[in-house]
Amino acid sequence: MTVLIIFDSVFGNTEQVARAMGDALGADVVVLNVADVTPDKLIGVEFLVVGSPTRGFRPTEGISNFIKNLPANSLKGVKAVAFDTRIPLESIESKVFRSIVKMGGFADKPIAEALKKKSAVVLPGEGFFVTGEKGPLVEGELQRAADWIKRTDQSRKML
């Protein structure tokens, strides 16, 4: 295996995105819930994709703890990318809450920072949109995720 996609999901939306990415990349890809990841799953990984729903401006505790518990420099030489699922800013009616969300951010950035701390080469991440706290995904997001991961995979191969 050269590509590992790890996700956590609360309402199933992030899992759908992760699986669409796995399907888009085809062979030599493993898609796993973070609860099913053991250290041996990282052996031989060249491209690590990590995704989480945005919960309180951050990734889930499962994703945060997984990355935190990786040994120092354990991702040296691994190219990685983070993604999240989120509510689009423009769909938030309250200007105050929209400002809070804009300042607080989304899960992809903290994931990317944590991966960098473990020595991964981190590529630009992405957010995929849900219609509300529980979803569902905005129409077309699974195709957008598939297209994005194919482009990102091509970019990492050129590094």
Side-chain angles (χ1 to χ4, degrees), residues 8-81:
D8 200 0
S9 197
V10 176
F11 300 110
N13 300 299
T14 309
E15 179 176 1
Q16 288 180 55
V17 171
R19 296 202 182 281
M21 290 179 188
D23 290 345
L25 293 179
D28 220 19
V29 176
V30 174
V31 181
L32 292 173
N33 185 295
V34 68
D36 299 324
V37 179
T38 54
D40 62 301
K41 301 291 185 192
L42 292 169
I43 296 171
V45 170
E46 295 174 12
F47 186 34
L48 177 63
V49 181
V50 181
S52 172
T54 298
R55 307 293 294 169
F57 316 114
R58 316 241 358 115
T60 62
E61 188 175 334
I63 289 292
S64 295
N65 287 339
F66 164 73
I67 299 170
K68 179 179 149 189
N69 291 326
L70 290 173
N73 298 316
S74 62
L75 298 178
K76 190 172 180 107
V78 175
K79 291 165 183 103
V81 68

Side-chain angles (χ1 to χ4, degrees), residues 16-25 128 140-153:
Q16 288 180 55
V17 171
R19 296 202 182 281
M21 290 179 188
D23 290 345
L25 293 179
F128 299 96
E141 287 301 90
L142 293 179
Q143 184 60 54
R144 190 167 76 83
D147 294 343
W148 174 77
I149 200 63
K150 286 192 265 186
R151 285 190 312 273
T152 303
D153 188 43

